[in-house]
Amino acid sequence: MTVKYLDLKKQYESIKPEIDVAIRQVIDETAFSYGKYAKEFEKNFAVYLNTSHLLGTSSGTSALHLALLGMGINRDDEIITVPNTFIATVEAISHAGAKPVFVDVDPTTYLMDPVKLEDAITPKTKVIIPVHLYGQPADMDEIIKIAKKHNIYVLEDACQAHGAEYKGIKAGSIGDAGVFSFYPGKNLGAYGEGGACATNNSKIAKIIELYRAHGEIQRYYHDVIGYNYRLDGLQGAILNVKLNYIDSWNEKRRKIANLYNEMLKGVGDIVTPYETADRKGVYHIYGIRTGHRDALREYLTNNDVQSAIHYPVPIHLQKAYSYLEYKKNDFPVAENQMETELSLPIYAEMSNKDIEIVVNKIKVFFNIGVK
Ligand SMILES: Cc1ncc(COP(=O)(O)O)c(C=O)c1O
């Protein structure tokens, strides 16, 4: 039996009756486009995050784009983020017409390094986007301190960090705005695409609302050239059900991460993920690092254990961003992470037996496979 990287079917089976009723309701009421259930989810997720505004969107990517529009991005503006993220963070910067600027990450947490951040700020910098990568919150106090000093917005990319906490405050609710993805594999995932933008800033919220639905103030009266970036009704209803489980699912992920940490201690050259004491990670991804990453991955694949790499190429070295003219060794910490990271199976329904199988295969690999 293969140990799956993620088993969404198991999650569905655990909440099937509630999900089926929720889907049926949307169909019976034909509440498909945005509508009652998407709005209900927006209200509930705002309460969960403790923010005054929560706008459901068609994806995390569109949420990022809308948030940048809400922050009044103009051509020639510079937006700072990290190179070790999913490309959507940077695509949104491009879609808003701005120039992406990268800063390297901290070598312990692999999150935005505030020291390097300060050096990258220019008079053109308008927004900083820290990414709560793998579900670990970035150093928000330091980042916000620097942003305030230079009068710059902070947009949290919390697309992998639903329910994560920084000093007891929910990730995505700390900066000027925070965005989430509800891509099916996320800790809080839809049954299709979805996203959201949270903010306590009414001005930003108003602009997002305007651009989200074709720039309409009144039906068929368009004040700006907008987008169709609304959250789908079916996804709203499904997310409403799943929101009730997110904390218990995250706790299970944290338990699995702790088990892995314990069991992988001293195995080969493995470095397990680092969690800062004042933060609560939600382990969307459990990424180990090893100098034998590719061989280990091949061994696990051949022995029925799925794994993944997040991500094989940092954004500054992607072909799509070659016009920025970054080169190898510009961001050595992020580059090293991308060469050594291996994501192990993790999801709330994963059994202890599966965890043991994964760890035992890794142990065998290091005993027999590496001299
Ligand atoms: C860090 C990060 N940013 C942005 C996104 C984009 O979200 P989506 O796939 O919902 O557009 C994702 C998820 O895929 C992500 O992991």
Side-chain angles (χ1 to χ4, degrees):
M1 279 279 280
T2 301
V3 180
K4 289 188 175 172
Y5 179 72
L6 171 69
D7 193 341
L8 287 177
K9 186 96 190 283
K10 271 196 181 146
Q11 188 195 62
Y12 170 58
E13 279 163 357
S14 75
I15 52 172
K16 186 177 186 305
E18 283 180 88
I19 290 283
D20 290 357
V21 166
I23 291 174
R24 190 76 255 159
Q25 261 174 339
V26 176
I27 297 170
D28 283 345
E29 295 172 33
T30 63
F32 298 124
S33 177
Y34 189 48
K36 177 174 152 188
Y37 294 101
K39 285 181 192 168
E40 199 176 304
F41 171 69
E42 289 180 323
K43 226 167 57 198
N44 293 336
F45 199 41
V47 170
Y48 179 78
L49 295 172
N50 194 23
T51 58
S52 43
H53 305 277
L54 189 289
L55 298 118
T57 61
S58 55
S59 69
T61 311
S62 59
L64 280 160
H65 185 191
L66 286 171
L68 292 176
L69 294 174
M71 291 173 176
I73 294 312
N74 292 311
R75 220 154 268 286
D76 290 337
D77 286 339
E78 291 178 1
I79 297 178
I80 299 176
T81 191
V82 288
N84 63 338
T85 183
F86 180 57
I87 195 152
T89 318
V90 191
E91 282 175 325
I93 297 173
S94 303
H95 295 327
K99 180 185 172 193
V101 173
F102 299 109
V103 291
D104 210 349
V105 288
D106 178 278
T108 308
T109 62
Y110 289 90
L111 301 166
M112 181 177 274
D113 187 335
V115 178
K116 291 167 190 150
L117 169 63
E118 182 114 49
D119 293 341
I121 291 173
T122 75
K124 289 181 177 177
T125 310
K126 196 84 172 262
V127 182
I128 300 164
I129 311 183
V131 178
H132 303 313
L133 195 75
Y134 304 164
Q136 301 290 342
D139 192 351
M140 292 308 294
D141 278 356
E142 281 306 306
I143 292 167
I144 287 173
K145 200 157 83 187
I146 294 165
K148 283 217 165 106
K149 188 166 132 196
H150 296 274
N151 202 18
I152 299 168
Y153 283 121
V154 174
L155 169 58
E156 299 173 71
D157 185 335
C159 284
Q160 301 185 1
H162 320 71
E165 289 179 11
Y166 177 85
K167 298 186 178 174
I169 304 168
K170 289 271 181 332
S173 73
I174 307 162
D176 295 289
V179 296
F180 295 86
S181 162
F182 304 125
Y183 180 77
K186 297 292 197 247
N187 291 26
L188 181 60
Y191 284 8
E193 306 288 339
C197 183
T199 181
N200 289 311
N201 183 319
S202 318
K203 210 175 107 206
I204 292 175
K206 227 172 165 166
I207 301 171
I208 291 175
E209 207 172 352
L210 185 63
Y211 278 96
R212 178 177 62 173
H214 302 293
E216 266 181 6
I217 293 270
Q218 192 187 333
R219 192 74 173 136
Y220 301 130
Y221 289 83
H222 310 275
D223 281 17
V224 294
I225 302 168
Y227 300 87
N228 180 358
Y229 277 174
R230 291 171 296 234
L231 178 65
D232 178 87
L234 274 169
Q235 306 311 334
I238 289 159
L239 290 165
N240 260 325
V241 172
K242 290 179 112 189
L243 186 58
N244 296 319
Y245 295 93
I246 183 67
D247 285 341
S248 66
W249 288 338
N250 281 342
E251 274 316 311
K252 284 189 184 147
R253 281 176 179 267
R254 287 178 57 77
K255 275 196 183 130
I256 294 167
N258 280 333
L259 267 174
Y260 271 140
N261 288 346
E262 281 303 311
M263 294 163 87
L264 290 171
K265 219 176 256 173
V267 176
D269 65 342
I270 285 177
V271 181
T272 52
Y274 184 83
E275 185 173 304
T276 309
D278 57 6
R279 302 173 213 177
K280 193 166 152 189
V282 290
Y283 295 92
H284 171 57
I285 286 164
Y286 182 88
I288 57 165
R289 277 173 299 113
T290 162
H292 308 281
R293 191 264 309 272
D294 294 337
L296 174 59
R297 183 159 198 233
E298 196 185 336
Y299 179 82
L300 291 177
T301 306
N302 292 338
N303 284 276
D304 298 322
V305 173
Q306 295 181 348
S307 62
I309 293 173
H310 297 92
Y311 299 91
V313 182
I315 310 299
H316 67 286
L317 300 178
Q318 293 279 0
K319 196 170 160 195
Y321 283 100
S322 57
Y323 81 94
L324 291 172
E325 295 186 344
Y326 285 109
K327 50 191 189 316
K328 203 158 165 48
N329 294 324
D330 277 347
F331 305 107
V333 183
E335 287 171 28
N336 178 262
Q337 180 193 19
M338 308 264 137
E339 283 159 11
T340 57
E341 191 272 350
L342 186 67
S343 311
L344 300 184
I346 189 164
Y347 54 94
E349 300 75 20
M350 191 177 177
S351 67
N352 284 356
K353 189 166 160 276
D354 278 351
I355 299 166
E356 262 172 44
I357 292 172
V358 176
V359 172
N360 285 337
K361 299 280 182 206
I362 294 173
K363 283 182 173 166
V364 172
F365 169 81
F366 277 102
N367 284 337
I368 63 164
V370 182
K371 301 280 172 268

